Amino acid sequence: MEGGAGAKLIKLLLFVFNLFFLLCGMALLAIGIWTAIDRVYLSRIIGTVLYETAGYMLIAIGIVVVVISILGCCGSIFENKCLMISYFVFLVVIFVILLVGSILAVAFRADLENLMKKTMNDSLINQYDHFMHPDITDAWNMAQRMLNCCAVVDSGWEDYRASFWFKQQNVMETEKIYVPKSCCARNYDGTYANLDYCQKPSGSMPPKTKLGSTNLFLYYDGCFTKGFEMVSAHGWVIFSVAFVIALVMILGMIGSISFVRMLEWD
């Protein structure tokens, strides 16, 4: 190898960068698996596989990052010019994809929020507890239990009165329940704190009306709000990892070009 100490330093830095790059890829892979498996119920209630697809995309990107980092490590260790050029090309392609994806996510964020809210409201009103949509019912119950929320928007528990679930209750008006039990607060052991007080009308208190004292046994936060908070917090983790990956990519591109120029042709 030509270049002496300078080339050896670049070789060492490339190896260190790619080890760090490997860790970032594994982090993306873990986040993607968690998103695709543990939060699949969100995809069902928003009526689109977008959230689930995002998890699979993170898995795919994580795998690609891991492969590229291994390629970079091998190229620097064995001083293989062909591997280093391939490594550089892959870095450029992934960098462009991440950049375009980030721009699109920012550009369509508002439209996506409105679409999610509209779709969630439709699924709650028309599909919750419907015999043709048991998966939607399960997804809503899971979301309300996991996120400690009720219905779509904050204080939106009254939306259940317009739902198929409420209208099909074939009981006397005084016996009807106004919210499903998944909207009700639970104790630390997972048992419901007070189902009667949560589900049935009590004077001027919720779930009969928004006026009056706060019902401590009923969730007031909407699932759209709580879900968006979770996605946003999740997004900051992804953004932080993506930022580090982008930085490492830039350093890797600069280092790989410098390293290739110092290598001798075989």
Side-chain angles (χ1 to χ4, degrees):
M1 176 194 289
E2 296 178 351
K8 291 180 180 179
L9 178 60
I10 293 176
K11 177 179 177 179
L12 177 62
L13 289 176
L14 273 174
F15 184 77
V16 173
F17 285 153
N18 281 289
L19 282 181
F20 194 63
F21 199 35
L22 177 64
L23 294 177
C24 290
M26 294 174 67
L28 278 179
L29 188 59
I31 294 172
I33 293 173
W34 176 77
T35 300
I37 296 176
D38 192 53
R39 293 296 182 263
V40 67
Y41 59 85
L42 285 178
S43 289
R44 291 177 182 154
I45 65 175
I46 66 176
T48 176
V49 295
L50 183 62
Y51 193 73
E52 192 175 352
T53 300
Y56 292 129
M57 288 179 64
L58 288 175
I59 293 173
I61 294 174
I63 292 174
V64 171
V65 168
V66 169
V67 172
I68 292 176
S69 64
I70 294 174
L71 182 65
C73 286
C74 293
S76 61
I77 291 174
F78 298 109
E79 301 177 7
N80 188 300
K81 194 168 187 176
C82 182
L83 284 178
M84 293 309 300
I85 292 175
S86 299
Y87 169 73
F88 173 79
V89 172
F90 283 132
L91 282 181
V92 172
V93 171
I94 296 299
F95 185 81
V96 171
I97 291 175
L98 289 177
L99 181 62
V100 172
S102 300
I103 293 173
L104 291 176
V106 172
F108 294 102
R109 175 175 174 173
D111 292 336
L112 182 59
E113 288 180 28
N114 293 331
L115 176 62
M116 285 175 58
K117 191 179 295 185
K118 181 178 182 300
T119 308
M120 288 176 70
N121 188 69
D122 180 69
S123 68
L124 176 76
I125 299 299
N126 300 315
Q127 299 177 335
Y128 184 83
D129 205 37
H130 197 289
F131 67 94
M132 293 183 64
H133 303 284
D135 56 328
I136 298 296
T137 305
D138 291 341
W140 265 109
N141 287 332
M142 176 71 74
Q144 290 174 156
R145 285 195 300 266
M146 295 289 289
L147 301 179
N148 294 342
C149 60
C150 185
V152 181
V153 298
D154 290 350
S155 298
W157 37 263
E158 64 178 355
D159 291 343
Y160 270 106
R161 294 182 214 173
S163 69
F164 171 84
W165 167 79
F166 185 81
K167 293 176 181 179
Q168 72 168 345
Q169 294 185 42
N170 191 23
V171 295
M172 296 177 59
E173 191 67 28
T174 55
E175 296 298 319
K176 284 189 174 182
I177 55 177
Y178 279 39
V179 294
K181 62 182 180 180
S182 56
C183 280
C184 300
R186 285 162 294 152
N187 299 313
Y188 289 111
D189 61 359
T191 58
Y192 290 101
N194 192 324
L195 280 179
D196 283 339
Y197 210 65
C198 169
Q199 293 182 295
K200 296 181 179 180
S202 178
S204 62
M205 291 184 61
K208 185 176 182 180
T209 173
K210 290 185 177 181
L211 301 176
S213 303
T214 300
N215 187 338
L216 299 178
F217 305 105
L218 172 67
Y219 294 139
Y220 280 70
D221 292 330
C223 291
F224 173 81
T225 304
K226 297 286 283 191
F228 196 77
E229 287 176 357
M230 186 196 73
V231 171
S232 297
H234 190 184
W236 276 110
V237 175
I238 296 174
F239 175 80
S240 301
V241 175
F243 178 79
V244 172
I245 288 178
L247 181 61
V248 174
M249 280 183 174
I250 294 173
L251 295 174
M253 286 185 277
I254 296 173
S256 61
I257 288 296
S258 301
F259 191 61
V260 166
R261 294 181 64 180
M262 292 181 180
L263 290 175
E264 294 181 340
W265 287 101
D266 293 335

